[in-house]
Structure formats: structure tokens, C-alpha cells
Amino acid sequence: MEVCFRCVIGFFIFLLFPNFVLAQVPPSVEELSLDQKVGQLFLIGFPQQSVDPQLEAFIKKYKISSFILFKRNISSLAQVAQMNSRLQKISIAASRALPIIAVDQEGGQVARIPTRPPIPNAMSVGQTQDSALAYSLGQETAKIIRTLGFNMNLAPVLDVSNPNKESFIGQRSFGSDAEKVSSIGVSLSRGLLDEAVIPTAKHFPGVGSISEDPHKKTVEYSASAETLYERDLRPFEEFSKLGPNTAIMLSHFSYPGLDPTKTPATLSPRIIKELLRNKIGFTGLVITDDIQMKGLSEISNPHEAGLKALKAGADIIMMTWSFKDQAKAIEHVKQAVLSGDFSIADLNEKVSRILAVKKFLYNKGSQQGKIQSARIIALSTKKLREIESRILDFNIKMAVQKPQTPDGRSPTAISENLIRANAVECIFSPTHEFITSFKKSKPFTRAMKTTVKTNPQMLIDYMNSRGCDFGIYAVYGQKTALILEALPASLAKKILVVNLNTPSLIPDMKKFLNVVNLYFPHPDAGKKVADNLSILIQHEFLEQFAHTEDF
């Protein structure tokens, strides 16, 4: 049963989890020891789902004051809230400052906290070009994660990426237009910030539509400086205007157009100091992506990369696994300070910037929170459902906007007449959800649940045996999309494709009767398609279907 998390007033976090404490006012940089200062510079990940003795000892020894949690750390909402409260208590005692506790809650496939409904992916939000909707989504996301003790969201993705081109960013991008990405991304960020969650724009200076994944290899982005300035950098320039209580995450790509030495952005003073700080004027926190990724570790070992990134201008080093490597990197930075290789002035400047953001969080009271009963497995909000429905309605609206025919008649009028002429449809989907939703509007539709073993001949046989004149085929991912590629042209022209994922999954859209890109699997998607079926089916086909022979 769903319960509005803001309506549950009987389970305040201080009652359920007394370890959540009110942090003291953040100290000044002069009040911290060297160990505490160096501890401020590292954002660590770990494998545990609770603060066990090993993790507690590590935090205390190295004065860790920033953490990142992944799905591996989360088994339930009650568990993650309790763990965050313990992290906060132990870190405050060790570092004397409220810790940053970060999570990737972008939406779509990159969302660590389960919600009902799921937070929509960036691409679906970007298609609406509704800044007010994006702001509301930012607010709601912040309220959800802050409830569990998080105060930084590693989002939004401000990479400008073509949704029709396969890339490792995919649906995580708001789109291919720099101005629109800026508008939506900044609005969402403002929503996060207004609810006391630090937004983190990524991946500076932009990764475009590159297919290579820096998690797996070293990647070069060969775009010219002119292209980078006109397209990729613009969203980050707008984001920078939000002020100092924000963060930007660096890309591990190399950018010859910005730094001819091909030094990865994470390690490049030209990109961080000269471009981001001096030219763009960003005053917030600069955070690296995980320096243990292969995209960087192939160039430099993690402990050396951490120091190089700090010298290049980064404020916080992310290391998401291996206490051994994390300890080595922390000690390496400390020794560099003691030897004079990394100046105390530079260290103090970074720590002061970090403490200023933590003071903002303290003043906003973001260390306080509340949570539902431990029995609730996913946070659910009415507002999130409203946002999701608005996105679906917009994308359906865009799909049904068809131009008039050469003779001046609208496809809508033609389609409605022919649909009433007893055209029969078959529906194919890998999930029962889409089929059930579709049948709410058209209960007598023939339906077949597809599997990984489904092939084109099976579709042909099913449509022939059920007397179907055309088909509706729902695509949820790569596996269902692959079946489409093998369809013969005679069948493809009788298939309306409803794509609930990225447009890049359907490279040849002209092959089909029509392709409706909805970008995410809304539970009402089937019904919305059925309600608008007469418009979504191309009129050329409907004029001819009664005269078409079997496939």
C-alpha cells in the first residue's frame, strides 16, 4: 500500500533513528588539524550496508567527511536512513563538520533510491522543454533523498547528447540542444538547491554522444574548441550562475581542443583552473568522477591521480572502493602537504570552499530528516505521479501532431473513419503492464507477451491466426528492439512501434508503420496509445489495409 511520505508524521527520524544528530556549526579552516583538512578532500564509497567496525575505524582514522552510496549499500529505506545517521554521527565526531552524503539520483536507470513511480529519465524530461516541470522534479527528488539523510545529488547530467545516436550517456542527457539542456538542467538544479540538496552538474566539460565508456577505457573527445564552446560548455556556464553552493563533476575524457597535451580533464589545470574557474567563473565545488575508473587508472595510479587532480584544481576526490587504495591516496596527499609539494595555502582554499557549502547545508537544516515505516519499500509521492503523467501527456501530444495530407485532409479524420471500419489490432509486449494498460481502452485487443525467444515468424503467425490487420509492438530495451531489426519489410509496415526507451534503439524509423517515442515506461503508456490509436496509425496504411493479403 502506498503512503505519502510527507503525510507520515509519526515516524520522525529522531524517533526511529536517534543517531541522527544536529551538527555543530562548521568550524573555520584554522580550527581543523592537518588530518581533518585532508579528510575533507575525499569522497569515499564502501561495500557495507551498515557502519561496521572496519568502516567506523577507517572514518575515525582518516577523518572522512564525504560519502557516496550505491545500490550495493542499500537493502531498504529504513536501513539506508539508519546507516546515514551513523555515518553522520561518526563523521562529525572525527572531522568536526557535517558530512556530505551523496547519491546518484538522476532518474531512469541511474536512481539508487526506489520510488513509486520511478523518477523519469532526463531524456523524457528534456523533451517537454518545461522548465517549471523540471524545477518541480528537482524539488521532489531533493525531498525524497533528504528524507533518507542525503544532502548531495550527483545530478543533473548536463552533457549535450543526440538521443538518436548510441552513446554511453543515452537517456541520461536532456537532449541535443545546448540551450534547452541548459534551461531544463538549471531549473532542475534550482529545485534541488531550494530544498537544501547540493546539485552536481556532470560531466564537465561535456561528453557529447561518444559511445566509449570511461568506466572501461581511456577516451578522447576530439571535438574542436569552437564546437565545445558553442555546444558542450554552455549548460555548465549557465549552471555556474547558480552560485557557490553547487558542484561540478569532472569528466575523465581528454579534450585536445581545450588542452593540446591530451591530459584528461580530471588532471588538467587548463580545463579546471583556466577554463572552469577563471573563464567561466565557477565558484562551487569541483569533484572528480571516480579516479579508480579505467579511463583514468590506465594513465595514472589512483593515489597519484588524486594528488594530480587536486593540484589541477579539483576540490574533492571520489574513490568508490578499496579502503587500501583510499588510505594510500589520503596519506599521499598528506605527505605532499608536509613536504611542500602541495601548498598549505592551496589546501586551505579548498577546505574553506567545502566548509562554506557545509555551512549552507547546516543553515538549511538539511541534516534533519524523517522516514516512513520500515515496511515501506519505496518512497511514493503524489507530486511525482503528477510529473510523470505530465511528461507522458506531452510526449503523446508530440506523437499525434501529424501534417495534413496533400489533398488537405487531416490524417486524424481519415484514421477515425477507418478504425471504425473494424480494423483489428494485435499487441506485442514483453511486459503485462503495457498490455493491461492498453486493454483499459481497447479490451478486445489480441495480445501476445514476447520473450527473448520471440522471432518474426511467430509474430506473423500470431497476426494471421488472430486476423489482425496491424500490430502494436512495445519496446522496453535492447532485447525487444533486436526482434524489430529482423522483421521483413512486409510485416514492418504493419507495425506501430511504441518505444519506451531511447530512440537510438530504433535506427530505421521509416521501416515501420509509425514509431512513437515515449522515452520511459509509464504505467499508463498503453492506455494513452490506445486512446490515440486512430491518429498514431498512418492514414496511408489504413486506406489500404482492407485490400492487403496475409503476410
Side-chain angles (χ1 to χ4, degrees):
M1 180 179 68
E2 292 188 356
V3 181
C4 173
F5 80 94
R6 281 172 293 185
C7 298
V8 181
I9 60 174
F11 293 95
F12 286 100
I13 202 71
F14 298 111
L15 298 179
L16 284 177
F17 306 118
N19 288 325
F20 257 122
V21 296
L22 288 174
Q24 62 196 49
V25 178
S28 66
V29 66
E30 292 79 15
E31 296 176 88
L32 298 183
S33 68
L34 176 59
D35 286 341
Q36 288 171 329
K37 290 178 184 179
V38 173
Q40 295 288 329
L41 305 180
F42 286 84
L43 186 154
I44 72 161
F46 45 85
Q48 288 90 334
Q49 291 190 349
S50 65
V51 183
D52 63 10
Q54 182 188 25
L55 177 56
E56 181 173 354
F58 189 84
I59 295 170
K60 290 179 175 178
K61 180 176 180 179
Y62 293 104
K63 320 302 180 189
I64 304 299
S65 194
S66 293
F67 307 92
I68 178 172
L69 272 62
F70 297 94
K71 281 189 176 180
R72 71 190 183 209
N73 304 114
I74 301 170
S75 61
S76 73
L77 299 184
Q79 166 267 324
V80 72
Q82 188 172 38
M83 181 167 64
N84 282 347
S85 71
R86 286 284 294 154
L87 287 174
Q88 185 183 109
K89 179 180 180 181
I90 295 167
S91 182
I92 288 172
S95 70
R96 298 186 60 193
L98 176 73
I100 288 173
I101 306 181
V103 66
D104 290 287
Q105 195 73 1
E106 297 173 15
Q109 293 181 337
V110 183
R112 314 304 187 197
I113 306 302
T115 61
R116 283 198 302 261
I119 294 174
N121 63 59
M123 185 180 295
S124 67
V125 179
Q127 299 306 308
T128 69
Q129 288 310 300
D130 187 335
S131 296
L133 182 147
Y135 176 82
S136 295
L137 182 59
Q139 282 188 306
E140 203 65 14
T141 301
K143 290 172 184 176
I144 288 169
I145 65 174
R146 199 184 68 221
T147 294
L148 301 174
F150 295 100
N151 52 25
M152 174 179 278
N153 191 10
L154 300 180
V157 171
L158 293 189
D159 300 308
V160 181
S161 182
N162 185 347
N164 296 306
K165 184 177 179 181
E166 185 176 354
S167 71
F168 92 94
I169 286 296
Q171 293 175 295
R172 299 168 65 193
S173 168
F174 292 113
S176 58
D177 184 284
E179 287 189 11
K180 293 176 180 178
V181 170
S182 298
S183 175
I184 296 297
V186 171
S187 295
L188 190 145
S189 299
R190 189 174 287 113
L192 289 168
L193 195 58
D194 285 352
E195 292 296 331
V197 169
I198 304 301
T200 307
K202 57 189 185 186
H203 305 80
F204 185 84
V207 301
S209 295
I210 298 296
S211 60
E212 291 89 353
D213 187 345
H215 291 81
K216 301 176 181 179
K217 59 181 293 187
T218 302
V219 183
E220 179 181 307
Y221 189 13
S222 59
S224 67
E226 182 180 13
T227 297
L228 288 163
Y229 276 103
E230 290 182 356
R231 182 187 63 198
D232 298 87
L233 288 170
R234 287 172 68 182
F236 294 99
E237 291 176 330
E238 291 303 310
F239 179 85
S240 295
K241 296 175 184 178
L242 291 175
N245 299 312
T246 58
I248 283 180
M249 182 185 292
L250 300 166
S251 159
H252 289 329
F253 284 19
S254 64
Y255 299 81
L258 299 175
D259 186 346
T261 67
K262 297 186 178 182
T263 302
T266 306
L267 309 178
S268 171
R270 295 189 184 189
I271 291 175
I272 305 174
K273 289 183 178 180
E274 295 179 17
L275 175 58
L276 181 58
R277 288 296 190 198
N278 297 337
K279 190 164 187 177
I280 293 178
F282 180 62
T283 57
L285 302 179
V286 177
I287 301 176
T288 73
D289 209 337
D290 186 2
I291 63 171
Q292 293 169 296
M293 285 184 190
K294 285 190 177 180
L296 197 64
S297 62
E298 288 182 352
I299 297 173
S300 178
N301 65 59
H303 68 275
E304 291 179 343
L307 179 59
K308 289 178 182 178
L310 291 170
K311 287 182 175 181
D315 297 309
I316 297 177
I317 306 302
M318 183 192 297
M319 299 185 73
T320 65
W321 56 277
S322 178
F323 287 141
K324 181 179 178 180
D325 285 349
Q326 291 164 352
K328 193 172 183 178
I330 292 168
E331 291 289 356
H332 191 62
V333 170
K334 180 180 176 181
Q335 290 305 315
V337 175
L338 292 172
S339 69
D341 186 35
F342 180 40
S343 74
I344 192 69
D346 199 2
L347 173 64
N348 286 344
E349 180 183 355
K350 296 177 189 301
V351 174
S352 295
R353 203 154 30 227
I354 295 167
L355 293 176
V357 171
K358 291 184 175 184
K359 184 175 182 180
F360 163 80
L361 291 172
Y362 171 83
N363 290 337
K364 282 283 205 176
S366 70
Q367 72 273 22
Q368 303 175 42
K370 57 184 178 180
I371 189 173
Q372 297 173 313
S373 164
R375 292 174 296 174
I376 305 301
I377 61 172
L379 290 173
S380 174
T381 73
K382 180 180 178 181
K383 187 68 174 180
L384 197 54
R385 289 192 293 274
E386 291 174 355
I387 291 169
E388 187 186 54
S389 293
R390 285 167 61 188
I391 294 171
L392 176 64
D393 287 342
F394 177 87
N395 289 329
I396 285 287
K397 179 181 177 181
M398 296 302 294
V400 301
Q401 290 180 349
K402 296 287 185 182
Q404 288 192 329
T405 61
D407 60 6
R409 293 180 297 166
S410 72
T412 303
I414 298 172
S415 298
E416 287 175 345
N417 288 333
L418 288 167
I419 285 289
R420 286 195 291 269
N422 298 318
V424 179
E425 69 271 2
C426 280
I427 183 170
F428 305 96
S429 171
T431 72
H432 288 297
E433 181 181 67
F434 186 85
I435 294 171
T436 301
S437 175
F438 191 95
K439 287 191 170 186
K440 288 179 181 178
S441 180
K442 292 185 174 293
F444 301 109
T445 298
R446 285 77 166 164
M448 172 183 167
K449 186 176 182 296
T450 59
T451 71
V452 292
K453 296 181 180 180
T454 301
N455 59 54
Q457 188 59 50
M458 294 167 69
L459 302 185
I460 292 171
D461 292 344
Y462 187 88
M463 291 181 70
N464 281 335
S465 67
R466 302 304 192 276
C468 292
D469 299 292
F470 62 93
I472 300 99
Y473 187 99
V475 173
Y476 277 74
Q478 186 66 45
K479 292 180 180 178
T480 43
L482 286 174
I483 298 173
L484 290 178
E485 295 182 11
L487 293 182
S490 59
L491 175 58
K493 283 300 181 183
K494 303 176 191 298
I495 297 293
L496 167 68
V497 178
V498 180
N499 186 11
L500 302 165
N501 205 296
T502 175
S504 64
L505 290 178
I506 319 292
D508 185 8
M509 295 188 185
K510 294 181 180 179
K511 177 181 179 181
F512 304 98
L513 175 61
N514 196 359
V515 176
V516 178
N517 286 308
L518 298 184
Y519 305 100
F520 74 112
H522 190 288
D524 292 332
K527 184 179 185 304
K528 291 287 186 179
V529 170
D531 289 343
N532 294 276
L533 192 59
S534 61
I535 307 174
L536 298 174
I537 298 298
Q538 292 177 349
H539 68 279
E540 292 89 352
F541 166 71
L542 289 170
E543 290 178 324
Q544 301 171 14
F545 83 87
H547 309 290
T548 303
E549 297 179 357
D550 288 345
F551 310 126

